[in-house]
Amino acid sequence: MPSRKSENNTKSFLTVALIAAFFMSGATARADQGHGKSVNEAINKRGEPAHQYAFGKPGKAGEATRTISVVMQDNFYEPEAISVNAGETIRFKIVNKGEFLHEFGLGTSAMHSVHQKEMAKMMEHGMLEPTRVNFDRMKMDHGGGKMKMAHSDPNSILLEPGKPGEIVWKFTKAMKLEFACNLPGHYESGMVGEIKFN
């Protein structure tokens, strides 16, 4: 039986191979899918994006009933599954101990599918690199004034190697959810976990 470390090295190699294959194939996401335009997003009265999610909303740290530590590796999470209760506010303390840029995002499989296309577009335009976020490229126009993108969804955090961060989330409704990394090739390499409702 292979060790966790050898599985980790194999997954790291596969991730790099998948990213390279993606870019060599010329595959692109649709230009009209700016980052953050998820299946649950709405527009507020000022015409600005307003994040709305069927399964919950951003929470306040002072209202968190517990803290869950999450470690991101290349390419898996510790823990591999998380249990929550409907109505519970959780503080997720996340650290990236891998060698690559990784994401911790909460959502349905459909949301992750849309988000993967957005992340691919961000990599294609140089906003995201295998090990870092290029903040200067994020500020640039990448398509007729319609492609200014930022990784700013409240249900997701993007961390460079060695960096910590956190998300506070109130789970308002029990439904089938996942936490995942949507950088090209990472989800497919197994960087996805189940959120189970008690």
Side-chain angles (χ1 to χ4, degrees):
M1 174 180 260
S3 70
R4 186 70 147 170
K5 187 171 183 175
S6 68
E7 286 178 12
N8 183 22
N9 290 339
T10 300
K11 287 181 180 180
S12 294
F13 174 77
L14 289 173
T15 297
V16 173
L18 283 168
I19 290 169
F22 175 83
F23 286 108
M24 289 171 65
S25 73
T28 60
R30 288 186 6 225
D32 62 341
Q33 286 186 312
H35 192 271
K37 293 183 180 176
S38 66
V39 293
N40 288 327
E41 189 172 55
I43 302 296
N44 69 19
K45 291 179 183 176
R46 295 186 303 266
E48 300 166 337
H51 300 286
Q52 294 183 354
Y53 303 88
F55 62 91
K57 62 184 181 181
K60 296 178 182 172
E63 297 174 359
T65 54
R66 63 190 166 112
T67 298
I68 296 176
S69 294
V70 177
V71 176
M72 299 190 292
Q73 297 277 4
D74 300 324
N75 277 320
F76 61 92
Y77 293 101
E78 295 171 351
E80 295 177 352
I82 295 170
S83 294
V84 300
N85 298 302
E88 185 175 28
T89 300
I90 303 287
R91 181 180 184 189
F92 293 99
K93 291 184 80 170
I94 307 139
V95 64
N96 182 356
K97 290 192 177 178
E99 295 179 18
F100 297 102
L101 182 66
H102 288 302
E103 175 190 41
F104 177 84
L106 304 169
T108 64
S109 61
M111 288 173 68
H112 289 302
S113 180
V114 169
H115 191 60
Q116 287 161 18
K117 292 173 185 155
E118 296 165 349
M119 296 290 273
K121 191 62 153 176
M122 291 180 84
M123 285 200 83
E124 179 185 324
H125 285 268
M127 297 174 220
L128 302 178
E129 299 172 11
T131 60
R132 73 180 196 101
V133 177
N134 187 327
F135 293 101
D136 291 333
R137 297 282 302 172
M138 281 193 178
K139 296 174 189 172
M140 297 171 64
D141 177 8
H142 295 275
K146 298 178 183 176
M147 281 296 296
K148 289 185 180 178
M149 302 168 79
H151 195 276
S152 60
D153 299 316
N155 64 321
S156 174
I157 189 166
L158 192 60
L159 296 172
E160 295 175 340
K163 301 290 184 181
E166 71 175 51
I167 292 175
V168 181
W169 194 263
K170 182 170 185 174
F171 292 91
T172 56
K173 180 180 177 184
M175 56 192 298
K176 191 173 171 99
L177 296 175
E178 300 172 334
F179 55 97
C181 179
N182 292 295
L183 284 149
H186 292 208
Y187 185 99
E188 297 81 358
S189 293
M191 202 161 183
V192 58
E194 183 182 1
I195 296 179
K196 302 175 182 178
F197 282 86
N198 297 321

